[in-house]
Amino acid sequence: MATLVEEAARLAEQLVSPLGRRWSHVQAVAARAGELTGAVQPDQAEHLVAAAWLHDIGYSREIGLTKFHPLDGARHLRDLGWPADIVNLVAHHSGARFEAAERGMSEQLDEFPFADDPVLDALVTADLTTGPGGERLTYDERIAEILKRYPATDPVHRTWVKAAPILREAVRRTTDRLTESQPK
């Protein structure tokens, strides 16, 4: 029987591999999440890595109904019966609440409870220290890349102007937790 992470990787490959460079990003985010499991409780590590595999499935043309990928991915996973915490992580990964506000979609995203916790922090860190082609970046490099890629009038650009300082703290907390988890 396949593990949750294996099932997540399989579903992500099915939905995201046709998207080219995005598939490289997803694979690298999942690998990075594996490196960050020390920042979460041991019983949450599998869900962190599974959510990392699944975080961008909403970009798939097959399931991207609203064109807001965190919402589309979460709804698809919920419909498939995935564990609620993984669904909610996908819904709220990497500042989705800020982008939902920019797009007038906060009410729809509210279908999924938001948990400001170490697992979400670690998922944010994995995603926002990995470039669009899977390359390792610092948080500042990743935010600069996003702001450069989207024009100032785009909701994604406006999102990151607001969200960047807040999500920087999620990355800092993850780094601190990793340091604290190291044997002395």
Side-chain angles (χ1 to χ4, degrees):
M1 182 169 208
T3 68
L4 200 58
V5 170
E6 290 167 341
E7 289 294 327
R10 191 173 3 261
L11 181 59
E13 182 175 15
Q14 173 191 340
L15 293 172
V16 183
S17 66
L19 303 179
R21 189 167 84 145
R22 174 119 4 236
W23 178 232
S24 297
H25 169 75
V26 166
Q27 292 173 87
V29 170
R32 181 75 174 122
E35 297 169 8
L36 298 173
T37 58
V40 302
Q41 295 298 314
D43 64 338
Q44 298 171 319
E46 183 179 42
H47 285 203
L48 167 61
V49 177
W53 276 110
L54 298 166
H55 80 283
D56 276 352
I57 65 167
Y59 281 113
S60 169
R61 290 171 192 88
E62 293 176 44
I63 66 170
L65 303 176
T66 70
K67 306 302 182 217
F68 181 43
H69 81 276
L71 181 61
D72 291 331
R75 284 177 171 170
H76 185 71
L77 292 170
R78 180 185 59 197
D79 292 349
L80 291 175
W82 280 79
D85 62 325
I86 293 173
V87 172
N88 296 338
L89 285 164
V90 169
H92 291 285
H93 77 274
S94 301
R97 67 191 185 278
F98 297 98
E99 189 173 343
E102 283 293 326
R103 294 180 180 279
M105 299 181 82
S106 295
E107 189 173 312
Q108 289 118 312
L109 192 62
D110 286 345
E111 295 172 25
F112 304 97
F114 174 76
D116 193 8
D117 65 16
V119 183
L120 183 60
D121 283 354
L123 181 58
V124 166
T125 301
D127 190 23
L128 297 181
T129 59
T130 304
E135 62 278 15
R136 183 70 61 95
L137 300 175
T138 67
Y139 177 78
D140 290 333
E141 289 169 336
R142 178 74 160 123
I143 299 308
E145 176 276 319
I146 292 168
L147 292 174
K148 183 179 177 184
R149 192 164 21 117
Y150 292 92
T153 56
D154 191 281
V156 174
H157 186 102
R158 292 192 312 265
T159 293
W160 288 104
V161 168
K162 294 174 186 171
I166 295 162
L167 295 178
R168 176 187 316 282
E169 288 304 305
V171 174
R172 183 196 53 76
R173 288 189 300 266
T174 299
T175 303
D176 290 349
R177 288 182 189 111
L178 276 176
T179 301
E180 292 165 8
S181 73
Q182 299 301 313
K184 300 202 179 347

